[in-house]
Amino acid sequence: MSSFKNLADLKSLSQQLKQQEESRQRAEAIRLEREKKAREEANIFRSSVGTIAPLKIAAKHNPIPARPEPLPFQHLADEQAALQESLSDEFDADSLLETDENLSYTRTGVGQDVVRKLRKGHWVIQAQLDLHGLRRDEARDSLGEFLRKCMRNGTRCVRIIHGKGLGSVNKEPVLKQKVRNWLIQKDEVLAFSQATAADGGSGALIVLLKS
């Protein structure tokens, strides 16, 4: 009886081992099938995409902004101071100015025929400066800068419009006398004459500069 029982247990153990082996084989078959399928899908993806290469990353460029040129503040201040010193409001033009009914002036050594030529338009007016509406200091600075520019450009004959003073206090042409005084102090001014009616009359001067 005991032998029969041992035989039955042995048979049962054999069946269990067989079932375990079958289960293991099935699991292994499933794993292999999944790996095969994964490889096939990977091959399909590679075939559809083709050969790939990494993107080239350009070197980053950081431009250096150009610095503005420094402004010569001291140089400009020196020029402004020199200009104001060279054109004085206290200068007495009457001591040097030879006037006639047309308020003309010629520098020493310049013949009176120059003034006559100015009046007759012998020299073409090449540039003009309008001082209307400017204060005294503004007008003086503008005149000085205008004359310097004319000398740099080789301009000979210019018109200075100082106005007739109709808009000033008491209707007096304040800039008219000031402009005469300032012009006489400038070495580059050879002569000037009151403009003709067509060129501004008593509200302007025609000025001849050194060549």
Side-chain angles (χ1 to χ4, degrees), residues 192-203:
F192 61 76
S193 175
Q194 179 175 297
T196 63
D199 288 325
S202 61

Side-chain angles (χ1 to χ4, degrees), residues 176-191:
K176 184 174 183 177
Q177 183 62 37
K178 293 292 184 184
V179 170
R180 288 171 54 201
N181 291 351
W182 295 334
L183 288 174
I184 291 172
Q185 297 176 70
K186 303 299 289 183
D187 291 337
E188 57 265 39
V189 175
L190 295 180

Side-chain angles (χ1 to χ4, degrees), residues 71-90:
L71 294 176
F73 290 110
Q74 187 58 49
H75 177 69
L76 294 176
D78 291 343
E79 280 199 352
Q80 184 74 5
L83 176 63
Q84 291 180 354
E85 291 175 2
S86 65
L87 299 180
S88 172
D89 289 328
E90 277 63 49

